[in-house]
Amino acid sequence: MFRVRPLLPRIRSSLQTTLKLQADTSQSEPESVRRNLRLLHNGSRSRRVSNQKFRTMATGGEASKEVSAGEEPAKQGNRLVASKSPYLLQHAYNPVDWYPWGEEAFEKARSENKIIFLSVGYSTCHWCHVMEHESFESPVTAAIMNEKFVNIKVDREERPDIDKIYMQFLLMSKGSGGWPMSVWLTPTLAPLVAGTYFPPKSRYGMPSFNAVLKSIAKKWETDKESLLTAGSTLLTALQKNQDASAVAEAAFGVGSAIEKLSEAINVHKQRFDQTHGGFGSEPKFPEVPRINFLFHAYLVTKDADVLDMVIETLTQIGKGGINDHIFGGFARYATTEDWHNVHFEKMLYDQGQLMAAFANAYKVTRDETFLGYADKIYKYLLKDLRHPLGGFYAGEDADSLPTHEDNVKVEGAFYAWTWDEIQAAFKDQAQRLDDITPERAFEIYAYHYDLKPPGNVPAYSDPHGHLTGKNILIVRGSEEDSIANFSLEADKFKKLLATTNDILHVVREQRPRPHLDTKIICAWNGLVLSGLCKLGNCYSANRDQYMQTAKELLDFLRKEMYDPEKKLLIRSCYGVAVGDETLEKNESQIDGFLDDYAFLIKGLLDYYKATLDVDVLHWAKALQDTQDKLFWDERNGAYFFSQQDAPNVIVRLKEDHDGAEPCGNSVSARNLVLLGHYYDENAYLQKAGKLLNFFADVSPFGHALPEMLSALLMHENGLDLVAVVGPDSPDTQRFVEICRKFYIPSMIIVHVDPSNPGEASNQRLQTKFKMVGGKTTVYICHERACRMPVTDPQQLEDNLMAYFFSKRD
């Protein structure tokens, strides 16, 4: 979400009056787009949704031309064939005369005085596929679109600036939104009407897409002024909000952080699902920024209920169907409140954030289960999402072909199992089960993962019937329950699970894989860099592997996604397939947006903490300085999402909501605080304060902006400085390793090497801290007040355990 201050109610009322379509549409939009999309995805006990058939989507950068029987395949590509975006390539053979976002389309709209139809989505979006098959592949619908409109496709991951502007219009006018996003614009790009998915025939309380197209076209021809008034009203409001200043009376003062912390904890306790973990009702997203905040809140308050909330949430996510138990990685969200049935697409940003969250859970609890979940994410990333040069792809689709002989994709085909399939796989690989019979192994496996002969997916959560007779693995009990039920030894049970899951993984690898979006996004790779470093700092046996992968990712980002001459980040580049080194870039470079800078700087700061590579710290500082030049609002504070004078961007917005990803302003607040202390530069801290005050009127602050509240706590309460004084030696590394193993979000580590004083980022620390008795010495300080120096590693670990670790009952 973005800043829309008191103008919102008046604007929405005006839009509701002005944007009514002609009567022949029955209803211009559903009452709530979100409610109807939930109905579509979750189904209804009283109304069933017919089974959808989906065309085979593009893979490997080529648009498939497979269509349903009886339909003529599209023979000629449209203007999207030259695109690099996998999402645009998926639509390159639609009969719709699609344009990419750019001047050619805008000039056509101006010269022909036509409305622009803007369709925004992404290549792993399930409902984008549905609307493509139902409407954009239809010659009848395409004929209407081509005659009446100039049609533009935008990949929201490639151009988040465009997506966010028009999503804000959708949210303001309808109260909710989603993808595919459908927006009608004037030739000057002012929004007129917006919606999400439209069905081919009127249903779900929504008019048919063709009816909407005809009605809007007619209104443009006969009553253009009312449409223009609506667009002008909204655009004026957004432009006023672009210049909005901070609310002075809401500014944070002494004690504000603790006050907001208390408020946020109470809100989260009220919304916490005591039975299944997580917050609110279905659909449920991991919401990692919320999880990160609660860890921090526990550390500040030592409120055991707060820790229980976050640990229970991560436990249920780990046990749920949202987790790919067979190999690793997590789906985007659950469609049921118990985390069982899910939307199967796997997104890179979730993997990076969850890897960090599980690593933090391990640090707080020392429960190896969490480390296991994080390690399986790592293995999934390495095998299925990694470009050979070190970057990571955007994600995998929810839909796939059931078999290689099929040409109709269904959701979950790659991940769900029949009872008989698993039984047959165990019998076929009986030799791998040692002294356990296939029948016994299956009995244990079915019990542990709650498998049922007729399938375990409730019909109400499967509107298309794609999962009829199928099982989604979920752990309803625990490993201890299964071990006790079958009188097994723990080690033998764990080995059996590992073997049987590997058996099924081998079988699953023979299935057609979901579509891979080979777009490499700078911001999301920054989140993965953070996750790898936090996992590496757990110091498991795989630490060296994690950090080597992190280094190769860092090298990739510096080489392929950074212009050193202009000191600019590049938003995205494009691979072809896993294992293929081919790397492509857009002819017209898309510069990085706020999130690209903020998320990568965060990743670099985490990499520095994991390695003490001061060159990386300096790069983080340089990127921060560029970010400040490109996005900072000198007049009012905080960061705009897009650069000043960006072409064809009608308004600059400031995001004020942490969702599936934290917003760039939240992450930037944290980055500024850390850099201010690393470099002993007050200017960064002053900028952080101004940023925080710009959003101080958001309410409830810690619920809307949990990541930013963590930054506020750090800014107001200060940081924990760990100064390790000594030469670059194994003894010094041992002290640093002990510090890294603890979850201390406000901790910065500085290595003071007496033999190389010039390499330090903070010269004041070089002169302040000295070795004691010629030994490596550690000083733990808070706001320049330091505890007694420590020269014994065990004493340091004991101190940190007392300060920052509490054993759960």
Side-chain angles (χ1 to χ4, degrees):
M1 290 185 182
F2 294 85
R3 309 296 288 158
V4 182
R5 288 193 166 148
L7 293 165
L8 177 57
R10 177 176 60 80
I11 295 166
R12 184 173 292 166
S13 175
S14 172
L15 289 168
Q16 288 170 345
T17 301
T18 309
L19 299 183
K20 288 181 179 177
L21 301 178
Q22 299 297 318
D24 62 353
T25 65
S26 297
Q27 182 181 348
S28 64
E29 291 283 335
E31 282 183 23
S32 166
V33 175
R34 180 175 298 163
R35 176 181 60 78
N36 281 320
L37 286 178
R38 284 179 59 193
L39 170 64
L40 290 172
H41 199 64
N42 298 338
S44 168
R45 296 183 189 275
S46 60
R47 175 169 50 189
R48 302 296 296 148
V49 181
S50 62
N51 184 34
Q52 304 286 346
K53 294 181 180 292
F54 308 125
R55 185 184 74 145
T56 303
M57 301 307 300
T59 57
E62 295 183 5
S64 169
K65 305 185 188 67
E66 296 181 80
V67 292
S68 303
E71 293 185 25
E72 290 295 324
K75 298 183 183 299
Q76 185 173 352
N78 53 49
R79 289 172 178 79
L80 302 183
V81 294
S83 302
K84 298 294 189 296
S85 160
Y87 177 62
L88 300 189
L89 290 172
Q90 285 174 348
H91 295 79
Y93 289 88
N94 294 164
V96 178
D97 186 17
W98 290 115
Y99 286 77
W101 182 267
E103 188 55 38
E104 183 183 6
F106 308 145
E107 175 55 32
K108 179 178 174 66
R110 291 191 296 265
S111 64
E112 298 182 12
N113 192 31
K114 283 185 175 180
I115 290 180
I116 293 169
F117 171 65
L118 172 64
S119 178
V120 182
Y122 54 104
S123 81
T124 58
C125 165
H126 172 74
W127 285 101
C128 300
H129 303 341
V130 175
M131 192 165 177
E132 182 198 15
H133 174 71
E134 292 176 339
S135 295
F136 303 147
E137 290 179 357
S138 165
V140 174
T141 301
I144 300 171
M145 295 173 68
N146 295 341
E147 178 186 357
K148 300 294 185 180
F149 304 97
V150 175
N151 304 290
I152 297 178
K153 264 287 173 194
V154 164
D155 182 338
R156 68 173 292 259
E157 297 166 353
E158 187 179 66
R159 291 299 304 266
D161 55 334
I162 304 304
D163 172 63
K164 290 176 187 294
I165 290 170
Y166 297 109
M167 182 60 71
Q168 182 62 29
F169 173 79
L170 176 58
L171 292 170
M172 290 175 70
S173 57
K174 303 302 175 188
S176 59
W179 297 275
M181 177 170 63
S182 305
V183 191
W184 287 264
L185 316 175
T186 69
T188 57
L189 308 183
L192 301 172
V193 182
T196 54
Y197 163 82
F198 289 96
K201 296 180 180 179
S202 297
R203 61 189 184 204
Y204 322 133
M206 288 183 278
S208 73
F209 185 53
N210 285 1
V212 172
L213 290 170
K214 291 176 182 178
S215 180
I216 293 175
K218 183 177 180 180
K219 198 164 186 78
W220 182 253
E221 294 168 0
T222 62
D223 190 15
K224 183 184 300 184
E225 289 306 313
S226 65
L227 285 176
L228 291 173
T229 299
S232 175
T233 300
L234 188 282
L235 187 57
T236 299
L238 286 179
Q239 288 170 338
K240 285 183 178 178
N241 275 276
Q242 173 179 283
D243 296 326
S245 59
V247 178
E249 57 268 26
F252 295 123
V254 176
S256 293
I258 297 302
E259 178 185 330
K260 295 296 183 183
L261 175 63
S262 177
E263 175 191 60
I265 288 174
N266 288 335
V267 172
H268 283 91
K269 285 182 177 180
Q270 292 169 11
R271 296 188 68 247
F272 180 63
D273 183 338
Q274 299 281 349
T275 304
H276 305 293
F279 301 89
S281 59
E282 60 192 39
K284 278 185 173 176
F285 292 77
E287 295 187 294
V288 180
R290 204 168 299 291
I291 290 170
N292 289 337
F293 158 70
L294 289 171
F295 273 131
H296 194 167
Y298 164 71
L299 203 64
V300 173
T301 64
K302 290 298 193 288
D303 183 338
D305 290 339
V306 172
L307 183 59
D308 287 343
M309 282 194 295
V310 66
I311 293 301
E312 182 64 15
T313 296
L314 286 173
T315 297
Q316 294 297 331
I317 289 173
K319 290 164 62 174
I322 195 171
N323 181 10
D324 178 4
H325 294 275
I326 286 174
F327 184 65
F330 286 77
R332 182 165 168 250
Y333 66 88
T335 61
T336 53
E337 63 183 1
D338 62 356
W339 304 97
H340 182 201
N341 198 6
V342 301
H343 189 44
F344 288 93
E345 65 188 79
K346 288 179 174 177
M347 306 304 296
L348 182 66
Y349 59 78
D350 284 323
Q351 315 311 319
Q353 291 183 95
L354 281 168
M355 192 159 46
F358 284 122
N360 288 338
Y362 168 74
K363 289 181 179 182
V364 171
T365 66
R366 302 298 161 97
D367 184 339
E368 297 280 342
T369 303
F370 296 120
L371 203 56
Y373 292 142
D375 183 67
K376 289 184 72 173
I377 293 174
Y378 170 76
K379 290 175 181 174
Y380 164 67
L381 288 175
L382 220 61
K383 176 183 173 295
D384 292 331
L385 290 187
R386 191 171 187 259
H387 186 277
L389 299 181
F392 290 91
Y393 298 131
E396 290 190 292
D397 210 330
D399 303 341
S400 59
L401 295 172
T403 71
H404 291 283
E405 288 70 41
D406 287 306
N407 62 7
V408 176
K409 289 190 174 186
V410 298
E411 185 171 14
F414 188 70
Y415 295 101
W417 298 84
T418 66
W419 179 270
D420 292 342
E421 282 174 330
I422 297 178
Q423 270 190 323
F426 290 0
K427 288 180 180 178
D428 184 60
Q429 296 295 316
Q431 73 279 5
R432 294 192 60 187
L433 300 173
D434 296 333
D435 59 341
I436 300 178
T437 66
E439 292 77 14
R440 178 69 167 168
F442 179 74
E443 182 184 9
I444 296 169
Y445 195 88
Y447 176 86
H448 186 67
Y449 289 115
D450 195 43
L451 309 182
K452 308 293 183 187
N456 68 0
V457 180
Y460 75 87
S461 73
D462 181 26
H464 302 324
H466 290 172
L467 299 170
T468 301
K470 300 291 185 69
N471 288 276
I472 299 174
L473 275 58
I474 182 171
V475 179
R476 298 288 187 186
S478 65
E479 288 192 1
E480 291 75 16
D481 293 336
S482 298
I483 289 168
N485 188 69
F486 293 97
S487 301
L488 295 169
E489 295 177 359
D491 289 345
K492 190 169 186 178
F493 175 75
K494 291 178 184 292
K495 181 181 178 182
L496 176 64
L497 281 192
T499 301
T500 49
N501 279 324
D502 187 61
I503 288 171
L504 294 183
H505 180 239
V506 172
V507 172
R508 196 175 72 179
E509 285 296 287
Q510 307 310 309
R511 296 174 176 176
R513 284 201 71 87
H515 158 71
L516 172 69
D517 188 324
T518 54
K519 183 166 60 270
I520 300 172
I521 299 171
C522 182
W524 296 0
N525 277 267
L527 294 175
V528 171
L529 183 61
S530 287
L532 289 168
C533 294
K534 290 181 183 298
L535 182 54
N537 284 348
C538 292
Y539 281 89
S540 69
N542 296 326
R543 151 112 177 158
D544 289 347
Q545 295 177 36
Y546 303 144
M547 294 314 303
Q548 180 62 28
T549 302
K551 183 181 185 307
E552 290 170 5
L553 173 57
L554 175 68
D555 292 343
F556 176 91
L557 292 167
R558 195 193 293 265
K559 180 180 179 183
E560 305 293 348
M561 309 201 77
Y562 181 61
D563 184 334
E565 292 185 6
K566 297 180 179 179
K567 298 183 179 180
L568 295 176
L569 290 176
I570 300 168
R571 171 64 179 180
S572 56
C573 58
Y574 308 83
V576 174
V578 170
D580 190 321
E581 289 194 5
T582 304
L583 194 66
E584 299 178 329
K585 298 183 179 180
N586 285 308
E587 282 186 31
S588 180
Q589 178 175 303
I590 301 174
D591 291 340
F593 302 101
L594 173 62
D595 287 1
D596 297 297
Y597 285 86
F599 293 5
L600 179 52
I601 292 167
K602 179 182 187 298
L604 296 177
L605 292 172
D606 289 333
Y607 186 88
Y608 170 75
K609 185 185 286 188
T611 63
L612 297 186
D613 183 342
V614 74
D615 288 339
V616 173
L617 186 62
H618 293 333
W619 190 30
K621 184 179 186 298
L623 288 177
Q624 185 65 56
D625 293 343
T626 299
Q627 176 184 316
D628 293 345
K629 292 174 185 176
L630 296 177
F631 305 105
W632 180 253
D633 182 351
E634 288 288 352
R635 179 180 174 187
N636 298 310
Y639 293 99
F640 291 111
F641 187 82
S642 57
Q643 294 185 36
Q644 187 173 9
D645 301 324
N648 304 315
V649 175
I650 61 172
V651 66
R652 299 175 80 196
L653 300 173
K654 295 176 183 175
E655 200 166 9
D656 69 344
H657 178 78
D658 295 326
E661 306 165 55
C663 75
N665 275 296
S666 291
V667 175
S668 295
R670 172 189 180 276
N671 293 344
L672 289 168
V673 172
L674 293 176
L675 286 168
H677 285 271
Y678 273 126
Y679 282 93
D680 198 24
E681 289 191 14
N682 197 48
Y684 286 130
L685 300 178
Q686 290 177 344
K687 195 179 291 284
K690 193 170 183 180
L691 186 161
L692 291 164
N693 279 329
F694 182 84
F695 296 101
D697 65 318
V698 173
S699 181
F701 183 83
H703 184 262
L705 290 163
E707 188 96 357
M708 193 177 289
L709 179 49
S710 284
L712 177 63
L713 288 167
M714 292 165 61
H715 185 256
E716 185 171 311
N717 297 341
L719 300 187
D720 297 289
L721 167 68
V722 176
V724 182
V725 187
D728 188 3
S729 66
D731 284 345
T732 299
Q733 285 299 320
R734 172 66 181 139
F735 279 101
V736 174
E737 289 172 11
I738 291 170
C739 297
R740 289 176 182 145
K741 287 193 296 184
F742 288 87
Y743 171 72
I744 312 173
S746 58
M747 178 179 70
I748 61 172
I749 303 176
V750 176
H751 177 208
V752 178
D753 186 350
S755 62
N756 291 292
E759 290 187 4
S761 61
N762 188 328
Q763 290 299 314
R764 179 177 61 82
L765 300 183
Q766 286 292 117
T767 58
K768 178 177 181 179
F769 297 117
K770 306 295 181 182
M771 296 173 67
V772 176
K775 297 180 180 180
T776 296
T777 306
V778 176
Y779 297 81
I780 300 177
C781 309
H782 185 85
E783 289 297 274
R784 304 196 179 191
C786 300
R787 300 182 178 96
M788 292 296 293
V790 176
T791 58
D792 176 58
Q794 187 58 54
Q795 184 184 349
L796 174 63
E797 186 150 10
D798 291 343
N799 290 349
L800 292 174
M801 189 71 74
Y803 302 150
F804 299 109
F805 183 83
S806 296
K807 187 174 179 60
R808 297 178 78 221
D809 294 332

